[in-house]
Amino acid sequence: MAKSQITLTVNGKKEEALVEPRTLLIHFLREQLNLTGPHIGCETTHCGACTIDLNGMSVKSCTMFAVQANGADIVTIEGMAAADGTLHALQEGFREMHGLQCGFCTPGMIMRAHRLLQENPSPTEEEIRFGIAGNLCRCTGYQNIVKAIQYAAAKLGGVPYREAAE
Amino acid sequence: MNVATPNPTSAERAEKLQGLGCKRKRVEDVRFTQGKGNYVDDLKLPRMLYGDFVRSPHAHARIKSIDTSKAKAVPGVLAVLTAADLKPLGLHYMPTLAGDVAAVLAEEKVLFQNQEVAFIIAEDRYIAADAAELVEVEYEALPVVIDPFKAMAPDAPVLREDIKDKTDGAHGKRKHYNHIFEWQMGDREATDLAFRKADVTIKELISYQRVHPCPLETCQAVASFDKITSELTLWGTFQAPHVIRTVASLISKIPEHKIHVIAPDIGGGFGNKVGAYPGYICAIVASIVTGRPVKWVEDRIENLSTTAFARDYHMTTEIACTKDGKVTGLRVHTLADHGAFDACADPSKWPAGFFNIVTGSYDFPVAHVAVDGVYTNKAPGGVAYRCSFRVTEAAYCIERAMDIMAQKLGMDPAEFRMKNLIRREQFPYVSALGWEYDSGDYHTALQKALDTVGYRQLRAEQKAKREAFKRGETRELMGIGVIFFTEIVGAGPSRNCDILGIAMFDSAEIRIHPTGSVIARLGTKSQGQGHETTYAQIIATEIGLAADNIAIEEGNTDTAPYGLGTYGSRSTPVSGAATAMAARKIKAKAQMIAAHLLEVHDDDLEWDIDRFRVRGNPERFKTMTELAWAAYNNVPPGMEPGLEAVSYYDPPNMTYPFGAYICVADIDADTGVTKIRRFYALDDCGTRINPMIIEGQIHGGLTEAFGIAMGQEIHYDAEGNVTTASLMDYFLPTAVETPRWETDWTTTPSPHHPIGAKGVGESPNVGGVPCFANAVNDAFAFLGSTHIQMPHDNWRTWTVANKLGLHA
Amino acid sequence: MIPGSFAYHRPTSVSEAVLLLDSLGDEARALAGGHSLIPMMKLRLASPAHLIDLGGIGELRSLREEAGEIVIGAMTTQHELIGSQLLSAKIPILSETSLLIADPQVRYLGTIGGNVANGDPGNDLPAVMICLNATYDVTGKSGPRRIAARDFYQGAYFTALEPGEIVTAIRIPVPQAGHGYAYEKLKRKIGDYATAAAAVVLSMSGGKVVACSIGLTNVAETPLWAEEAAGIIVGSTLDAATVKKAVAAAEAITAPASDARGPAIYRTKMAGVMLARALARARQRAGA
């Protein structure tokens, strides 16, 4: 099958590539751009491990073809820390609040939380749980993930978060 | 020598170590939060190929022909392997951990849906998937056995034709061609007598449905065979990398030193990644055949339908009791559905794992347990899904049965448990089924749990709600689940635990570098438990060097000492002990060096957090950092330089973590929807290494327990089609469904473990499942219901309500 | 799970899309949000040779009120439905329902057109459209036409669309101001299709129901319009006996499959329970 030329911005960097139309965006990111932060967990759009930020939306990159992302602006977990290596408040929050264990869901979870906080900078616990319901975690039971997001929300809002990880 | 900086206090020095008992932040998180974990599928090697399976659509069928010609003709396909290719190599079957064999690629028959039939090797995974569709397999469908209770019928279809005439299996006589083993423990006669003399007895078939561990990352491997050196490197999702190396060597005949097994970061295991699977073998063979690296990555459907189911235990359970509520006997017969091959991941001498922990936390004077394993047309497995071997089954069984007996006696289930719990002064306690429980203070734990949740008030509220329900004022039923569990973990002592003949010790090797930084390597393998963080804490406290200067490495069989891996909550009880013992060897040598430097006798020194000091003269000391340096330039005459040690720890006993859990559930009688209002978990795992990680483990284990109790099921229809093999139908709760958890603890150290730790990762799953189940059952108990089978999903719960006439 | 090969087309206008669909015939499938089709392709339950991505057609992304109707372009996403102030003010049942579809990520890409047009009985919006008496603007090689939602669904994945036709917009008559509404969905977890769900829109006057419409989700091969049940409700005060009668009438038209969500009898009964609850909540919300 003829390949298609696509041009897109990934983590602030312009990328041009040839892709087969059927190449899934997750495979394009992982195999062609070597961005292995987004993971493949379920392949049926349930687990959210492949979540990235695309044009200001949280997207499960296993359910989109790379050709559909032509022209898009994408951020993956690899694009979250500052250029000087300073961790994003969410990355810091996940560590401080013990919001991860095996780490497999973490990149997708953080990317989803990032968009959630853009849309709702100070969510309630209820809103966080509802907002991350497209991301499955098998290790943490979510309780500390909620805290990690609250930590980040507080930090981004300039308020220190006091509660410790359980 | 001792630089006079402002003297830190003892507390400050101890805190700086980040040792035992502190909530140390995880080392692993630095890479994981940045997407820099290194999981198997992240690995990319030059010229790497991809493998994909052709799988059987049938649960039981004869293979009449396999035509791979169209698949082979697809550009980019290098080869297609079938059993015919593997048979000359003796690789079409592989040995299982349970003494059986399992097909790698099906030869004459397929025995479960999605069984591996052919293996495509192609330039990329897209081509491999295309070619898999083009392999033409002609099947002749055969009658299936799905219900384990029909497996041993006189006219049941013969499943395993390869062993149909074998009258002896790995664990003794076989009663039928679909029978695998019978295993018994306890005193049958004494137990029968107890039942004959009992005032009250109960009998119930308590089934634990087939489930799957379903870690977020599936099973995967990359095999790379170097034809020049004849060496094989195998990366994979291995909870037990050394065992995989030994098995790979035994199967492939490649010498073990020429096999390098590497388990990189693992995206959750929960028992799924203990065994060896056809994908691993086929990737190895494919790499040998093509001379190129070959990657095999399971998809989610393959994961749920082929690798490593758990449970499928059907436990006919009886308790004998006096009329005032003292248990006098326990009798359990279990029918165990092992699927098409006996691939249970148990210590070799334990075909039913440690199911004889089924007397639980109670002082049963006598007990008898028998387990019959049978073959069916379902996927093989029988792994310990976040539990020690068959311990979850046992805990569910006894905790349900205790409630059923309490109900029959008209006693409160908490009071009934209090009356029968093993008393503190009975430890070490030898159970009627042969285990020696190391330590416990059960009554204190249960009382604390009851007091904390306000148990009496909850029962009063429930009573009022039941009255309101009867009056038609509410459609909600309130259930209170109370359980007390005892786990048996840390397999295990060499006298009774081995895998394929290898004793279940574990190991740690610690090297102190001249500057006082450390690398430690272990035979276990973290899959999210945070070993890089916690093992360092043990070492930090033992030898007084800061955890931040201690690197922990696992998973590379070339560098790590031989170990049996991480499952059955064995890392802390066994490798944690090995770590402490190796550290103590180092400390003993450091003490001699300190004595030499301070010109005193060894015995004149005492340990002080991070240093040896002279007794009665604390100003004279040598810190461990100083001693590390000295180990490389100024050791006592006759002593070898260097500071390192290795320990292979053969535990004297298992450890027995325990806990008391209480769950409050509200059930909508009209829909069956069950809301968990409250869940309180008190765990006693002995000495607590890192409370933050312990709490995280408990949250996760409770969430998995919630999934299992409330919805998870690997379900087969009557034709043997697996109907729940995607995350649409296999219940993994999201943050919305998952309850909030309250955690608590008591601390009863293990007397035989060097630091008193018992292990915790699996306790919440073992205790959680019966606690949810008891809450749901309790909601209906006042209407005469005695036992409702799991999972307690909406429709099943509604059906119970319907049968009780609640929708009239 | 790897999809088969296909050629990719990204038209920029409806006419171009229709031309492509017509010329490529059976081998072509239109791609909207992709969250039904792409998983099917990955499972190889669908293997179109041509995929026509409607994502580049600006005219399909609109949301406006005209002549007593709300007109929603087919490529409007569920996320946009949730965020629309116009819809919150005029037809709030749409955002209530959209929030119960799948999960946040899916709603960013999942479209109203895809949800109503693909004929999956598990989709939530079709029953709501039936309840609201919506009309679909459809275009194919023989030009545009309109199909009432109530006439659109013929079987599981079978609709009134002719080959080569696509839904371009959804027209919903603005319900009476002060109407009560509710979408009650029973599901096993976030991300699941309904075990059963009921959409209700009603208007009250003087304590009595003066208008009522009911749609049911995932309890038959198509979404259901519970016309008789709604008729029973109209004129009543929503008293228990009337609701019970309406529930019985609604249950009587269901024909669900038994699946992992429960046996058919359970799903029928849940349609009834959801209806009763939707009626109660709609009544609370209704003015006068």
Side-chain angles (χ1 to χ4, degrees), chain B residues 125-126 129-130 133 299-301 668 670-671 673 724 727-729 731-734 736-737 793-795 798, chain C residues 1-4 43-44 186-193 260-263 265-266 269-270 273-274 277:
Chain B
R125 56 183 105 206
Y126 284 68
D130 289 344
E133 281 202 313
D299 72 26
R300 181 56 61 191
I301 291 174
D668 179 342
D670 292 325
T671 59
V673 172
T724 52
L727 297 193
M728 171 62 85
D729 288 314
F731 177 57
L732 301 187
T734 75
V736 169
E737 295 82 38
D793 48 6
N794 299 341
W795 73 263
W798 178 88
Chain C
M1 292 183 206
I2 307 283
L43 293 165
R44 302 214 176 196
L186 178 67
K187 55 184 175 180
R188 296 170 296 180
K189 57 173 278 190
I190 296 280
D192 194 16
Y193 293 113
R261 293 172 188 85
I265 175 67
Y266 173 68
K269 288 292 170 192
M270 290 311 99
V273 173
M274 292 302 106
R277 291 181 184 184

Side-chain angles (χ1 to χ4, degrees), chain C residues 138-181:
Chain C
V138 164
T139 299
K141 62 177 173 183
S142 42
R145 63 182 179 123
R146 289 187 182 172
I147 308 173
R150 289 173 185 172
D151 299 329
F152 188 79
Y153 301 98
Q154 300 177 340
Y157 302 98
F158 281 96
T159 68
L161 284 179
E162 294 295 330
E165 280 187 325
I166 55 171
V167 172
T168 57
I170 290 88
R171 295 177 172 273
I172 308 169
V174 176
Q176 193 182 326
H179 71 277
Y181 66 92

Side-chain angles (χ1 to χ4, degrees), chain B residues 194-216:
Chain B
F195 274 85
R196 282 198 297 275
K197 289 164 71 178
D199 298 334
V200 188
T201 61
I202 59 116
K203 181 175 185 177
E204 189 72 55
L205 171 60
I206 298 171
S207 279
Y208 198 138
Q209 78 273 19
R210 182 174 273 239
V211 291
H212 192 282
C214 197
L216 206 50

Side-chain angles (χ1 to χ4, degrees), chain B residues 9 34 111 174 190 210 339 360 376 410 431 441 451 453 645 726 748 774:
Chain B
T9 64
Q34 298 187 71
L111 287 159
R174 298 169 69 214
R210 182 174 273 239
T376 61
S431 76
D441 184 354
D451 292 346
V453 301
S726 84
T748 311
N774 280 358

